[in-house]
Amino acid sequence: MLALRSIRAQGLRASMRMPANTLSIAAALAIRGKSSLVPVTMTSPADTLRYADQKLAHFDKMSFLPIRESVVSREMTTRYMNDMLDHAETDVVIIGAGSAGLSCAYELTKHSDVKVTIIEQSVAPGGGCWVGGQLFSAMVVRKPGHTLFDELEVPYDDKGDYVVCKHAALFMGSVIRAALIAPNTKLFNAVAVEDLLVRQTDTGIRVRGVVTNWSLVTQNHDTQSCMDPQVMEAKVVITATGHDGPMGATCAKRLEAIGALPAGLPGMHAMDMSTAEDAVLHMTNEVVPGLIFAGMEVAEVRGCNRMGPTFGAMLMSGQKAASLAIKALERDHGYGTSAWNN
C-alpha cells in the first residue's frame, strides 16, 4: 500500500470547493507558483498540449533582467564571507552532511535559538544516501525509522516491518531542503575538517571546535607548500563522517592518534542487519566531552556490525545526536535558562 504523505494538492482543492478535474490550466499554473509540492494535473491530451503550447509561448517571450558580472561576484562573496564571520563561533558543528548528519541538522532546526553549522567535504551534500545498495535507486528503512519520512512527507511503500522509498534521492532532497531552509543552519560544502580544536583538562580533553580548510587544499597538502587552516569554535561537535575511508571516520581516527581513545580501534565489523541498526542507534553518544558520534562512525569506535543498505539507524542516530547536543548545551552552557541568552 503506497502511503502517500504529500496530500497538499487534495487539501487545496477541497478548500477551493471544486472537483479536482475542474482546475483550469491557468489556475494550475498559479498554484504551482505558490507551491512546487502541488502538481499540475492535466485532464486530457488536449489540456496537455495546450499547456505545453502556453509554456513555449511564455519562454519565447522571456527575457532576463540585466545584471553586471561584478554584482554576481559581490553577492556570492559577501554572503559567504559574512557566513564565515558569523559561524566562526557557533553552538553546534555537524561534521558530515550524509543521512545521519542531515537528519541531525533537521532535528536541530526545531530549536531555532541554536546556531548550527554543517561542514561537508564534498561539493554535494548527501553522502552515500543518494542511492540504495549497489547503486540501485530504492531506499529501504526498517520501522520505526520511517517516522522521519512521515515528518518530511516523503512517500513510501509500506511493507509491514519496513518501508521502501522508490528513490533515495526523494528522502535526501527533502531532508536537505528541510535542514537548510531554516534560519539557524548553514552548510559549508567543499570544506574539510582537518583536525579538532581541543582543550586539555585534568581528566583528558574537551572538544571545543573544528579545524577547517578547503577540501581541495586538504587533498593536496602533499603536493604543495604548507597551507594553514583556520578554526570554528563550537559548544558541541557532532561527527557523522561515516565508516572508515579516505575522509571517513575522521574524528575516530584523530582521537585515537592523540590518545583520547585506546589504540587499535575495533572498527566496523561484518554485516548483520538484525543487530547493526540497534547497536548503532543505542551507541550514539558523547564519546569525549563536547564530541558526539553519530551514524556509521559509531561503528568504527564501538565495533558494531555494518547494516548495509538499510538506513533507519542513520536517520534515528542523527536525530538522537541532536537531542544529545541539546542536553550537552543545557549541561555545560545553560541552554533553556536565562544564562543561554546572555
Side-chain angles (χ1 to χ4, degrees):
M1 173 180 172
L2 187 62
L4 292 174
R5 304 295 175 178
S6 297
I7 57 173
R8 297 185 184 181
Q10 298 175 13
L12 179 58
R13 291 188 183 112
S15 67
M16 296 172 67
R17 301 193 182 281
M18 62 174 64
N21 61 1
T22 63
L23 276 177
S24 67
I25 293 174
L29 287 173
I31 292 170
R32 172 163 281 188
K34 295 177 183 177
S35 173
S36 61
L37 292 177
V38 180
V40 176
T41 303
M42 304 302 167
T43 58
S44 70
D47 283 344
T48 301
L49 293 173
R50 188 160 55 249
Y51 170 77
D53 288 339
Q54 290 175 355
K55 291 297 292 183
L56 288 172
H58 173 67
F59 291 134
D60 288 343
K61 295 176 183 177
M62 184 180 291
S63 179
F64 292 99
L65 296 177
I67 196 167
R68 293 179 60 190
E69 288 82 355
S70 59
V71 171
V72 176
S73 294
R74 287 193 182 99
E75 284 290 348
M76 293 188 298
T77 303
T78 55
R79 288 170 183 266
Y80 197 91
M81 293 305 169
N82 283 336
D83 284 335
M84 291 186 73
L85 289 171
D86 185 38
H87 287 261
E89 293 183 70
T90 188
D91 296 325
V92 179
V93 161
I94 300 171
I95 311 172
S99 52
L102 286 169
S103 298
C104 179
Y106 163 69
E107 187 70 15
L108 286 170
T109 66
K110 300 171 184 177
H111 306 273
S112 58
D113 54 348
V114 174
K115 187 193 299 184
V116 180
T117 307
I118 312 163
I119 302 175
E120 168 55 45
Q121 61 90 14
S122 180
V123 171
C129 199
W130 285 110
V131 291
Q134 200 168 321
L135 305 183
F136 296 160
S137 302
M139 181 182 188
V140 177
V141 171
R142 294 165 62 196
K143 292 182 178 180
H146 72 300
T147 53
L148 184 54
F149 279 9
D150 291 341
E151 284 191 45
L152 298 173
E153 297 185 326
V154 176
Y156 55 76
D157 185 5
D158 193 326
K159 305 292 285 187
D161 292 339
Y162 63 93
V163 303
V164 184
C165 175
K166 70 176 184 178
H167 202 300
L170 271 173
F171 164 73
M172 190 48 61
S174 299
V175 74
I176 288 173
R177 182 184 187 277
L180 298 188
I181 202 170
N184 64 319
T185 60
K186 169 62 184 177
L187 168 67
F188 292 93
N189 47 327
V191 174
V193 171
E194 293 190 340
D195 204 349
L196 295 170
L197 183 64
V198 302
R199 176 179 292 113
Q200 196 67 40
T201 70
D202 293 338
T203 56
I205 66 162
R206 177 177 185 84
V207 174
R208 56 189 186 92
V210 293
V211 180
T212 64
N213 215 326
W214 305 120
S215 292
L216 288 176
V217 172
T218 299
Q219 295 167 18
N220 286 278
H221 278 313
D222 294 337
T223 64
Q224 303 291 326
S225 60
C226 179
M227 293 170 282
D228 282 333
Q230 58 179 6
V231 301
M232 291 181 177
E233 293 186 19
K235 297 178 177 72
V236 178
V237 175
I238 298 169
T239 181
T241 64
H243 53 70
D244 194 11
M247 299 189 80
T250 304
C251 291
K253 290 184 284 190
R254 188 57 178 148
L255 289 181
E256 180 185 25
I258 64 177
L261 288 176
L265 291 177
M268 179 178 64
H269 287 192
M271 185 185 294
D272 181 355
M273 288 185 183
S274 295
T275 63
E277 292 202 274
D278 286 356
V280 166
L281 176 59
H282 296 157
M283 294 183 184
T284 296
N285 222 319
E286 190 174 20
V287 174
V288 298
L291 179 62
I292 296 166
F293 277 67
M296 283 310 298
E297 196 167 0
V298 174
E300 296 293 337
V301 174
R302 302 303 189 195
C304 308
N305 295 92
R306 66 187 301 180
M307 74 276 302
T310 174
F311 292 88
M314 299 299 95
L315 315 188
M316 298 296 100
S317 174
Q319 289 192 290
K320 179 183 178 181
S323 294
L324 290 170
I326 293 299
K327 296 302 292 183
L329 291 175
E330 175 193 35
R331 179 193 68 207
D332 299 330
H333 302 280
Y335 182 72
T337 70
S338 59
W340 178 255
N341 295 322
N342 295 328

